Structures are given as C-alpha cells and as structure tokens.
Amino acid sequence: MPSKKKDLAKGRTAFWNDPEKRSMLYQIIMLVILIICGAYIISNTLHNLDSRGIKTGFDFLWSEAGFGINQSLIEYDESHSYGRTFFVGLLNTILVASLGILLATILGFTIGIARLSNNWLIAKISAVYIETFRNIPLLLQIFFWYFAVLRPLPRPKQSIELFDVFFLNNRGLAMPAPNILEGFGWVLLVFALSLIVVIGVKRWAKNRQDTTGKGFPIISVSLAIMLGLPALTYLFVGSPIDWEVPTLRGFNYRGGITVIPELLALLLALSVYTAAFIAEIVRSGILSINKGQTEASFALGLSRPKMLKLVIIPQAMRVIIPPLTSQFLNLVKNSSLATAIGYPDLVSVFAGTTLNQTGQAIEVIAMTMAVYLTLSLLISLFMNWYNKRIALVER
Amino acid sequence: MIQSDKKLPDLPPPRRSDGAFGWIRANLFSSVTNTLLTLLAVYLLYIGLVPLIQWAFIDASWVGETRDDCAVGGACWVFIKTRLNQFVYGFYPEELYWRVNWVFILFGVLITLLIAEKTPYKKWIVIFTLTVFPIITFYLVYGGAFGLEVVETHKWGGLMLTLILAVVGIVAALPFGILLALGRRSTMPVIKTFCTLFIEIWRGVPLITVLFMASVMLPLFIPEEIVFDKLVRALIGIVMFQSAYMAEVVRGGLQAIPKGQYEAASALGLSYWKMMGLIILPQALKLMIPGIVNTFIALFKDTSLVLVIGLLDLLAIVQAGLADAKWAGYSVEGYVFVGLVFWVFCFGMSRYSQALEKKLDTGHKS
Amino acid sequence: MSNEVQQNLMAISDEIMVEMRSVNKWYGEFHVLKDINITVRRGERIVLCGPSGSGKSTTIRCINRLEEHQTGDIIVAGTPLTNDLKNIEVIRREVGMVFQHFNLFPHLTVLENCCLAPVWVRKMPKKEAEEIAMNYLKRVKIPDQALKYPGQLSGGQQQRVAIARSLCMNPEVMLFDEPTSALDPEMIKEVLDTMIELAEDGMTMLCVTHEMGFAKTVANRVVFMDGGQIIEENCPHEFFNNPQSERTQLFLSQILQH
C-alpha cells in the first residue's frame, strides 16, 4: 500500500516540480560550476607558473635556505634546508602561543573576577582595562610594545637591572640559564616520589571525608609536599643547578638566556589583548549562573567559599570553557602578526622569507594554512567532545 | 485578630545605609581585604595616572610646526597636528579633499539616520546605503566619471582607507554571508558540504595568511592580461574572509527564528525563496544587527593588518610617519593618536550593539 | 480529609522557634516591610498570604538572611540574626528553605544534591549522608530517581527533591516560598501531599502560598499581608469564615471566586 501511494505521488509531477529531482538538478549545476571554476583557475595557474619559470612541487623544501633566523629552538643556520625553516617557524609559533595562552589565562581570569569584585574601585579599574584593550587593534598594541617601549630601551651597557640577574636592554631581556649538574637526578626522583605521595594523600583524604566527614586542607598540604620535598633534596645534595648569570662582554650580554625583544613585545601584546576578552568571558560565565543557585546554597548553610567551589565554579566552567577555547585559537592565529615586527614565527619565516626567496607561493601558503586548519580542526573536535561530556542532562 | 488595619506610613530608611559615607563604606572599605585592595588601587592609579596626565596635558606641546617647538619631557602633539591631513586622507591630492569630505558627511548622515530610532522610511535608507551610496562613494573617491579626475588607489590612505576597507568588507560580505548560511542549512549534500567547507576554512586561518594569499596567489589564478590593483586584491581577501564570519552570524540569526515561523510561511504556500525573503530574513536580520556590528568591530581592528601587504591604512601611515627622521622618537604620540581613533570607533560601536542587544532581549520576552 | 489531617497534627509546644519583632526593611528608599511582628512556636504551621508584592516572600527570606532587614530583631531558635557571619551560618543550618523555582543544582545528581550540605556543612561521612538522603527520598516517594539529574525530572519531582534536600540537613524550621506556583496543576497535589506529611510529623513550617485549601487544612495560623505590613492574623477557621479587615475580605472574595 505505501509503495503504491508513493508511485502515485511521483507519477503525476513533472520532473522540475519534483523536489527531489529539482534538488538533484541544483546540485549538479553547482558541481559543474565548481569544476569549471576549478579547471579555469588551475589552467591559469599552470600557465602563469610556466611563463614565470616556477616549478611546482615540494622539491624546494630540500634545498639550502641560506638565510639566518634570530631565534630557533632547534639547531639551525644558513646551511639548513627550507624544510627546516618550516619547523623553526612552527616551533616559534608554538612557543609564543603557549606562553601567551598561559599568561592571558592567568591575567584574564584575575581581571574577570576583579570585574565582579564588590570593591567599586577594583571593579571599575578592571572595566576600564577590558574596554581599553579590546577596542584597540592588536597590531597597534604589538607596535606600541615593540617600537615605543622595548626598542628605545638603553643599550646593553646601560641595561636596566633587576636583582642583579635580569638585564633589560634594547637587545632583549637577558636572564640566568640553569646548568644542570650531577645530583639533579635525585631532585627529579624526589619530585616524582612526592607526586605519588600526593596522590596517596589525596585518596586518603577523600576516603576519610567519605567515612568520617572530616575535611582535610588538601591543596596546601599537596603543595607543601610537592614543593617542599624536592626543595629540601635540592639543598641536601648541594644545589645541583648552576645558574649561569649573563655578563656584559663587549657590546652585549653573553651567557644565560636572552629573550629577544620581538618575542617580549608579541607576548605582552597577545596576552594583554586576549586577557581582555577572556575577562569578559569569565565575567559573563559567572553572571550566567542563576541567582537561585546562590540562594539555595546559602539556604543550605554553605559558606561563600564552599558555594563558589561546589556550586558556582563547576557550573560557570561549562559556560566559560567553549568560548575560552575559541579565544585560545584566536590567540594562536593572532600570533601570526609576528611578521609585522619580525619575530620569526611560521608566517614570518616560512610564508615570508622562504616564500619570497623561492617564489613557491602555492605550496608555501597551502602548508601554512594547513597548519592553522589542523589546529582549528583539533580544537573544534575537542570542543565537541567536551560539550558532549559536560552537557547538562535534560529530558 | 487584626494587627493593624490602617496603612502604616512609608518611612525613610535609617541613615546608616545610604548617603555618600554609607556608599563609600559599603563599596570601598567593607572589610580588611577590601580596604587593602582600595589602598593598593589608589596607589597604583596615583603612580600611573599622575605622570600620564603630566605628560599628555601639562607638559605637552600643542603649537608649532617642527620638532624644535616641542618641549622635552612632554607629549609632542605638534607631530600629530602637522601630519593630520596625511593621517586622514593619505596621499590624496589636497585640492580634492572635498570629494572625500562629502563622502564622510554623507556617510555620517546616513549612519545617524540609521541609528536614530524614529527615522521614517528606514527601509529605503537601508537600501540606499547598501546600493546607491557605494556607487556615489566610488565615483567621488576614485573619480573617472562626471568630469571628476581619477585618483589612483595608491594615493589613498589613512583613516579614509581604513574606513573604506572596513565598510566595503562588511557590506560586500553580507550577501555572500547570507547565501553561505542558507547553503550551510540546506538539505542538499553538495551545497551544504561546499558552504561548510568554505566557511570553516576561512574561519580556521589567520587573516594575515588570507592577505598574503590574496596578494601573491590571486595573480596566479587569473589570466596574465588582467591585473588587479593591490587594494582590490586586499578587498577580495577581506571579503572572502569576512563572508565566512558573516555566514556564522546569519546562521545564528536564522536559528533564533522559531520553527513556527517556517511552518506558518510554508502553510501559507510560500516557496523557499519567498519564505526566506518575506518572512524569515527580515526578522532574522533584525536579530543579527548586534552580531553584525560585533564582526564589524573585529574587521575594523583587523584592517590594520593590510600594512603587511603594503597598503597605507591609518596605522601604517602613522608608522611610516614615525620612520621620518624629522619626527623620530615620537612613536608614543603616534600610537596614542591611532589608538584613540580606533578606540572611539570601536567603543562607540560596541556600546551601540550592547544597547541593541538589551532592547532585542526585552522585546522578545514581552 | 480536613478533619483527618487536623487530627494527625501534633500538639504545639511553647518553645519559640522564630520571633520577628518590629522588623522594617527598605529597598533603597522604598519601604517594603513595615513593622512586622510574628512569633512561631515549635510545631506551628503558619501560612502567609496576600496580594503579590505585599512582602510575604521578603518576610520569610529575612529569616535566613537571603534579605537583610534594617531595623528590628529576628531571633531564630534562640540565635539572634545579626551581621555576625557565625550566627548567620548557625541559623541557616537550622532553617531549611524550598523555593518557587526549586533551585536544584543542575550539575549534580539528585542524591548528590541531597548530600552536598550534610557532607560539607555538617561534616557527615558520605555513607551516612547517602543513607539519610535515601530515607528522605523514599519519604518524598522518588528513591528510584536518586541517580538522575534534576533536568531529567518533572517539576513536581524536582520540588520534592528540593524538599528532601532541605530535610537532609535536619532543620528545625522549614520555609516554603510559593512552592507550588511554578508547577502544572496535576503536580501541585504531589508537592502539597508531601508538605502535609511533613506537617503531620511535627515540622515547624512557614509557607508563602496561594493554596487556600492547604491553609485551611494544615495551618494553625494564617497571616495576611498587604503593602508590606501584616493586616490580619488568625486561625484558619476564623480567617476564612469571619475575616475582620476590609482588605482581607476583598482579597478573599477575589481569590475564592474562582
């Protein structure tokens, strides 16, 4: 019976009035247009590349780069390949992005919470911070830190000194580098052991609370164990880290670690800018929790810290984490502004210098975009997984 | 039993809970921590603001022509003053400034009319702004018709270029965004896949790579004979990028329309495009305005990136001015000026969109 | 039914559980509570009624300091309610509250909702807290929902969980702030039945409600408020059959018409 009905429904319509056939037709037209456009672009490109004498393909990745990069986390000099410049840039992007995410999160949460403070002055200062920094272009902020603050700093000889070990000058921030000596293994071992102890203490404390109801100051005790034991070991085996303090030799500081001003400027601007957005997210996340939740917690006799810990924060985090992740993604994408001040990130090194030297625009841009796309994809996969996991169960 | 049948008088609240003193105590010194925080904040403000005011106003130099007129230690606003024309118009010929000024005036009037609540014929003004106004702007700024002399785009710059990039970017991205959003919600797999891919790819990469792509890859895609202007290439990149973001705003607006509206429209016998054009989009667009304004703010700030492909927008032209040996060392003044301009635009727009959101919010509840 | 319930209700002792003496409260310049005097003895069931905006909810919310009163005294179970945080904590422990919109914690299961306060405030072992919670969930007739989340329950079930959650703290006094106003008609009865059982067990209760049937059968006093002041206070029989004040008569004629 149903099949006959379907036949009836189909039989009477002309094919252009049949929604299924019509949508099929639209899609075929769309495909044809896409293919024609694609073919047109490809043929143009091949012709253009040919007339400019550019070879397509990824062979260029293995030829010698011949240019220097002022910061690299892996071994690199002019004799290395273009392929290696890709990794140098990628690692530099990862470095500035992870430091930036860390700083922006700390700063953003602090300001977001301060924005809700019942101290009027603190709340207003946070509001001014948020409204100032999120309404000024990031590139301008990067320029400000780089050209107006860090570059005009005095030369190494007149460095600004902090505690006699940090030296800030127009070449960057020189700071002590740890040289690991014999015996440091013991400190690491004790640290690992203390982690195990902390896990044990945590289990014991939870168990004790479940059975006797008595609480335990787990955070402070864990911190004490985790930091205290390794510190004691460190002193006991005779301070096995030798801090190599930078010293002024000739025109610059030698030894230690030097953070180049480009990295400092980019890091400052990225964290300050993104923190303003994170603060807004944190604020609206906390405000989104219904007032009834607070009232119910108080009516049950919970104190304010316990209410925050048990009721507000778990619920606010569900609201905060998705937009927070997309801010992290924004920060990673924004780190590409490094180009403008010459911090050697992926875009600056690879899509900049390498592209200009080789002329392999398509390959280079495609590789660069692929990196960012992969990252976006990973983050959105994480978000979907997280959203599913934390979604409040409703009927 | 009756407790009191007479209406008791409304009494004023007891003194301690109100008045300036009560307010200060409750908001600044309610506890020991609060008092410490207040004192710390006041101290920080003191060490931060006093030198700033000293630098920016008290010790600042306002009059003069060259750097010699600037006092040491204060801000040198002379730099901004002498370069102001360049910062606003770029290298646009001075005798033709009036053409740009007319566009500014017209734009200002249109925006005021659009923001004002009780403007009559608002629909027509919207249509005028989106269709006729861009044409007028093009002929006034570029010239080439009605006896207006052509001004090449490489002479454009400064605030004028920033505004052109942002406004063209957003206006041109709107129709693409609507189509992409409809496509993404479509049930046809080919169209849905294409639109989703397009949106996600552009949203996944930084604008700077899009600009690089537009400036180095685009010329490869088209026949050699056709040469695109640098500005046009940047605009193509910006519009592609922006239409992906716009599509997501439109999609959000479409999702906010209750299902009943779609059902009612279909029940009335409207076809897909009539349903969208007459019933759904007019409602959805209204809901989208705050989202559109927010993406506009983001784009407005992002236009500053065009300096990496050599266009001289507001930030780039100030940056170029700083490189001038005559004014070396006044970068802070330059950046403060640019920052202030951007801030005024962005802050104003964000306040507007917040007010609108509030209005829409209450409008929906009642 | 009325008589049966009344017979089951226990005697009232002389011990004063809640005392409000000339309590006044302002929102800014607006005088919301005017000279409120209420005395509640152990085992009493008091219903507050009156038109909306008359200050009923504000009155009971002052008792556990969800709202702060500006003048007058409130004494709960012998503890004076002052700005002292310790006193507030003590009082909140002894006073349970049920809200109009339930205010269950959506991120916790029903059982976790019930155990939260006993574990973290009363420092009870988890096992014991869970046993007590299951007991109360049985009493409100939803032990089988213990592992579900609030979002999965109907409004009536959620409100019964909210009642069980308050009872887990073993409070001396229970406050009900329009507990049935947000419920569909068919769910009102299940919540009212739970409240009647609670009354039969001798719980001291203050209820803000528009359920006049509940007031007639369960309350031993009805307090009528209007414009932020108490107009009339009487036993339900007298209150409904022989209202003294004009405003009470008007109010009753309006709500009993339907």
Side-chain angles (χ1 to χ4, degrees):
Chain A
M1 200 54 191
S3 68
K4 204 172 178 188
K5 231 179 182 171
K6 202 177 161 196
D7 284 343
L8 240 176
K10 290 233 158 167
R12 294 243 173 127
T13 32
F15 91 95
W16 57 87
N17 276 340
D18 180 335
E20 266 178 42
K21 284 183 185 152
R22 199 200 279 198
S23 89
M24 193 61 93
L25 186 70
Y26 284 150
Q27 298 190 55
I28 290 170
I29 295 174
M30 179 87 181
L31 265 184
V32 170
I33 294 176
L34 282 179
I35 290 170
I36 291 175
C37 287
Y40 180 70
I41 288 176
I42 290 172
S43 83
N44 278 331
T45 310
L46 289 178
H47 174 78
N48 285 331
L49 288 176
D50 195 42
S51 66
R52 291 178 201 187
I54 300 173
K55 260 200 337 213
T56 51
F58 290 92
D59 293 340
F60 72 97
L61 289 176
W62 280 267
S63 39
E64 193 183 286
F67 65 91
I69 300 175
N70 58 352
Q71 177 192 304
S72 175
L73 297 178
I74 48 176
E75 196 196 327
Y76 176 85
D77 59 50
E78 284 90 339
S79 63
H80 282 95
S81 66
Y82 285 122
R84 202 166 175 91
T85 63
F86 174 79
F87 291 105
V88 171
L90 183 60
L91 284 173
N92 282 338
T93 293
I94 292 173
L95 174 74
V96 71
S98 19
L99 288 175
I101 284 175
L102 186 73
L103 284 179
T105 312
I106 296 170
L107 196 58
F109 270 77
T110 315
I111 290 165
I113 291 165
R115 179 79 183 77
L116 293 171
S117 161
N118 44 15
N119 183 316
W120 181 86
L121 197 60
I122 298 284
K124 280 293 162 229
I125 292 176
S126 320
V128 169
Y129 174 95
I130 294 172
E131 291 301 347
T132 309
F133 288 105
R134 71 170 181 175
N135 283 321
I136 293 178
L138 174 61
L139 188 61
L140 174 57
Q141 297 189 33
I142 295 177
F143 277 178
F144 178 81
W145 289 114
Y146 187 62
F147 291 113
V149 176
L150 294 174
R151 286 289 291 274
L153 284 174
R155 275 172 301 176
K157 274 199 170 163
Q158 289 93 35
S159 288
I160 301 165
E161 289 178 29
L162 292 166
F163 315 115
D164 283 333
V165 286
F166 294 98
F167 304 95
L168 194 61
N169 54 52
N170 63 1
R171 302 281 185 88
L173 174 70
M175 55 186 189
N179 273 342
I180 289 155
L181 304 177
E182 208 178 336
F184 191 70
W186 288 107
V187 180
L188 285 182
L189 187 71
V190 169
F191 181 68
L193 283 177
S194 69
L195 276 184
I196 296 169
V197 172
V198 163
I199 293 169
V201 169
K202 213 173 165 183
R203 284 227 177 122
W204 170 79
K206 186 170 187 306
N207 205 5
R208 189 174 87 137
Q209 186 173 22
D210 287 355
T211 49
T212 68
K214 281 186 192 132
F216 189 75
I218 184 71
I219 294 177
S220 34
V221 171
S222 307
L223 272 178
I225 294 174
M226 254 166 25
L227 298 177
L229 287 182
L232 280 178
T233 325
Y234 180 82
L235 293 176
F236 185 70
V237 294
S239 309
I241 292 183
D242 176 33
W243 291 97
E244 186 191 327
V245 179
T247 46
L248 187 66
R249 254 180 249 145
F251 292 108
N252 207 353
Y253 276 90
R254 307 264 170 230
I257 300 172
T258 302
V259 183
I260 55 174
E262 290 82 9
L263 175 59
L264 273 183
L266 191 61
L267 196 56
L268 274 169
L270 280 174
S271 352
V272 165
Y273 182 74
T274 314
F277 290 88
I278 292 180
E280 263 308 280
I281 290 169
V282 169
R283 181 179 88 105
S284 56
I286 294 175
L287 284 182
S288 74
I289 306 304
N290 194 315
K291 211 173 148 233
Q293 297 287 312
T294 323
E295 290 185 346
S297 318
F298 282 152
L300 285 170
L302 292 177
S303 60
R304 181 173 279 274
K306 286 209 178 101
M307 169 199 76
L308 285 174
K309 175 184 160 192
L310 298 168
V311 178
I312 303 299
I313 292 175
Q315 292 187 60
M317 283 318 273
R318 288 159 201 258
V319 184
I320 290 172
I321 287 189
L324 185 66
T325 339
S326 77
Q327 279 308 321
F328 290 168
L329 190 57
N330 276 347
L331 189 146
V332 175
K333 286 193 277 173
N334 282 334
S335 70
S336 59
L337 296 189
T339 317
I341 53 167
Y343 171 76
D345 82 320
L346 179 66
V347 172
S348 167
V349 169
F350 194 63
T353 318
T354 298
L355 190 154
N356 283 338
Q357 290 199 3
T358 59
Q360 306 279 359
I362 295 175
E363 295 84 349
V364 167
I365 300 254
M367 279 173 76
T368 312
M369 282 186 158
V371 167
Y372 289 102
L373 280 176
T374 316
L375 206 73
S376 304
L377 194 71
L378 287 178
I379 286 188
S380 61
L381 284 179
F382 164 77
M383 294 257 294
N384 286 341
W385 170 81
Y386 179 81
N387 281 334
K388 255 188 213 135
R389 212 185 69 111
I390 61 145
L392 290 178
V393 187
E394 307 222 355
R395 54 221 223 115
Chain B
M1 62 203 147
I2 292 182
Q3 267 211 0
S4 63
D5 202 11
K6 276 187 225 121
K7 193 175 180 326
L8 293 172
D10 285 323
L11 299 170
R15 265 301 115 200
R16 70 183 158 96
S17 68
D18 63 355
F21 183 71
W23 183 90
I24 289 176
R25 214 183 59 160
N27 290 295
L28 296 175
F29 302 103
S30 59
S31 66
V32 179
T33 348
N34 244 342
T35 310
L36 285 177
L37 280 175
T38 305
L39 292 178
L40 182 73
V42 168
Y43 174 70
L44 287 178
L45 281 180
Y46 174 77
I47 59 166
L49 278 185
V50 170
L52 184 71
I53 291 169
Q54 186 88 15
W55 173 82
F57 300 104
I58 300 171
D59 293 344
S61 318
W62 302 84
V63 284
E65 293 297 322
T66 63
R67 64 180 302 152
D68 301 332
D69 299 317
C70 284
V72 182
C76 177
W77 300 121
V78 178
F79 166 54
I80 307 297
K81 211 185 70 180
T82 52
R83 293 285 179 118
L84 194 61
N85 274 344
Q86 211 187 66
F87 292 167
V88 176
Y89 304 97
F91 299 104
Y92 209 83
E94 209 165 335
E95 64 281 8
L96 299 178
Y97 280 172
W98 63 270
R99 281 163 48 177
V100 182
N101 288 341
W102 273 108
V103 173
F104 281 156
I105 292 168
L106 191 56
F107 186 60
V109 170
L110 285 173
I111 290 293
T112 319
L113 285 175
L114 288 176
I115 288 176
E117 272 186 38
K118 285 180 184 150
T119 315
Y121 310 112
K122 210 167 188 172
K123 198 171 121 195
W124 294 108
I125 298 175
V126 172
I127 292 172
F128 179 83
T129 314
L130 293 182
T131 55
V132 184
F133 174 64
I135 299 170
I136 298 177
T137 305
F138 176 79
Y139 283 114
L140 268 176
V141 177
Y142 183 73
F146 315 110
L148 293 172
E149 184 188 331
V150 171
V151 180
E152 294 292 341
T153 57
H154 64 82
K155 289 185 180 159
W156 303 8
L159 181 62
M160 167 192 132
L161 185 66
T162 297
L163 282 170
I164 288 176
L165 285 168
V167 174
V168 172
I170 211 86
V171 171
L174 187 62
F176 290 115
I178 292 175
L179 286 179
L180 283 170
L182 291 177
R184 193 169 184 174
R185 282 166 65 89
S186 155
T187 48
M188 298 180 237
V190 173
I191 291 175
K192 189 185 164 106
T193 314
F194 172 77
C195 292
T196 311
L197 272 180
F198 188 92
I199 294 172
E200 290 307 327
I201 287 179
W202 293 124
R203 274 162 44 91
V205 297
L207 177 60
I208 216 165
T209 56
V210 177
L211 289 174
F212 270 141
M213 190 181 132
S215 76
V216 297
M217 268 165 87
L218 204 61
L220 294 175
F221 290 161
I222 49 174
E224 270 177 300
E225 307 84 62
I226 309 175
V227 179
F228 273 154
D229 196 295
K230 203 171 8 176
L231 178 64
V232 176
R233 278 181 297 181
L235 275 175
I236 291 175
I238 287 177
V239 169
M240 297 249 237
F241 184 77
Q242 201 56 30
S243 57
Y245 281 86
M246 201 56 109
E248 287 302 281
V249 174
V250 176
R251 196 163 72 112
L254 290 175
Q255 270 166 351
I257 303 295
K259 222 177 138 201
Q261 294 291 315
Y262 291 88
E263 286 166 359
S266 307
L268 286 172
L270 297 177
S271 71
Y272 177 81
W273 288 107
K274 280 192 183 129
M275 170 176 85
M276 281 300 165
L278 296 172
I279 311 290
I280 306 298
L281 280 177
Q283 295 185 56
L285 277 171
K286 216 176 200 170
L287 295 180
M288 283 176 231
I289 296 175
I292 293 178
V293 175
N294 287 341
T295 44
F296 184 72
I297 297 173
L299 175 64
F300 190 72
K301 287 185 290 175
D302 277 350
T303 51
S304 54
L305 301 198
V306 295
L307 79 80
V308 299
I309 56 167
L311 288 174
L312 291 173
D313 78 313
L314 178 61
L315 177 57
I317 208 153
V318 172
Q319 183 73 10
L322 293 174
D324 184 347
K326 272 192 287 184
W327 293 105
Y330 290 114
S331 53
V332 179
E333 285 84 346
Y335 295 138
V336 167
F337 168 73
V338 182
L340 216 57
V341 174
F342 272 104
W343 187 84
V344 167
F345 275 94
C346 295
F347 183 72
M349 286 188 286
S350 77
R351 275 295 134 115
Y352 173 65
S353 108
Q354 276 166 21
L356 215 58
E357 256 168 60
K358 244 183 214 156
K359 211 177 94 188
L360 287 173
D361 218 30
T362 49
H364 254 251
K365 269 178 201 155
S366 58
Chain C
M1 148 107 179
S2 162
N3 280 334
E4 193 189 318
V5 172
Q6 287 288 359
Q7 275 167 14
N8 285 342
L9 293 173
M10 287 196 204
I12 298 155
S13 81
D14 282 343
E15 188 190 349
I16 295 175
M17 291 306 303
V18 179
E19 187 168 17
M20 299 178 92
R21 282 193 301 238
S22 354
V23 170
N24 280 284
K25 176 172 174 57
W26 288 263
Y27 283 133
E29 292 291 309
F30 179 56
H31 200 169
V32 276
L33 293 184
K34 297 173 184 168
D35 195 30
I36 302 291
N37 289 289
I38 298 180
T39 306
V40 188
R41 294 190 167 73
R42 182 183 284 281
E44 271 197 301
R45 285 94 39 201
I46 297 191
V47 164
L48 285 93
C49 63
S52 63
S54 58
K56 306 161 298 207
S57 289
T58 313
T59 306
I60 66 165
R61 286 159 61 88
C62 279
I63 295 174
N64 64 350
R65 232 336 133 94
L66 292 183
E67 306 277 357
E68 196 177 331
H69 63 287
Q70 274 108 8
T71 63
D73 300 312
I74 300 179
I75 299 158
V76 183
T79 314
L81 183 60
T82 56
N83 276 329
D84 187 343
L85 283 174
K86 267 269 146 358
N87 282 4
I88 295 174
E89 263 177 46
V90 169
I91 287 171
R92 281 176 175 167
R93 247 178 263 170
E94 302 309 330
V95 178
M97 187 167 200
V98 175
F99 298 87
Q100 180 178 0
H101 295 288
F102 335 133
N103 294 350
L104 293 177
F105 304 129
H107 61 301
L108 302 176
T109 62
V110 165
L111 189 61
E112 286 167 342
N113 261 284
C114 292
C115 293
L116 185 82
V119 167
W120 290 97
V121 180
R122 289 241 190 260
K123 310 277 181 210
M124 202 183 274
K126 201 173 165 196
K127 272 262 159 50
E128 201 184 321
E130 282 179 352
E131 269 166 34
I132 292 173
M134 283 312 290
N135 265 335
Y136 281 114
L137 287 174
K138 267 179 209 143
R139 271 185 57 184
V140 300
K141 301 190 182 63
I142 35 175
D144 45 331
Q145 314 280 9
L147 297 179
K148 288 195 179 166
Y149 285 89
Q152 294 169 293
L153 306 183
S154 74
Q157 288 173 323
Q158 288 195 41
Q159 194 58 296
R160 284 184 285 153
V161 171
I163 295 174
R165 179 175 74 176
S166 292
L167 292 176
C168 284
M169 284 294 282
N170 199 15
E172 304 269 8
V173 184
M174 284 284 283
L175 308 174
F176 291 85
D177 189 358
E178 307 202 19
T180 55
S181 302
L183 295 176
D184 292 336
E186 75 268 22
M187 292 171 186
I188 292 178
K189 190 174 174 297
E190 60 186 61
V191 171
L192 287 181
D193 285 348
T194 311
M195 289 168 65
I196 291 172
E197 273 175 35
L198 206 56
E200 287 173 352
D201 289 351
M203 177 61 77
T204 315
M205 296 162 70
L206 273 108
C207 313
V208 172
T209 183
H210 297 295
E211 296 297 329
M212 289 304 136
F214 177 79
K216 277 180 195 163
T217 50
V218 180
N220 48 350
R221 252 189 303 153
V222 179
V223 173
F224 174 70
M225 290 183 70
D226 191 12
Q229 65 192 69
I230 295 179
I231 306 291
E232 189 165 342
E233 189 180 343
N234 222 331
C235 69
H237 185 77
E238 282 294 301
F239 180 82
F240 288 106
N241 297 328
N242 189 15
Q244 309 275 307
S245 142
E246 262 175 50
R247 275 194 270 176
T248 318
Q249 289 160 9
L250 183 69
F251 175 73
L252 287 176
S253 72
Q254 277 168 344
I255 59 166
L256 296 178
Q257 258 172 12
H258 306 292

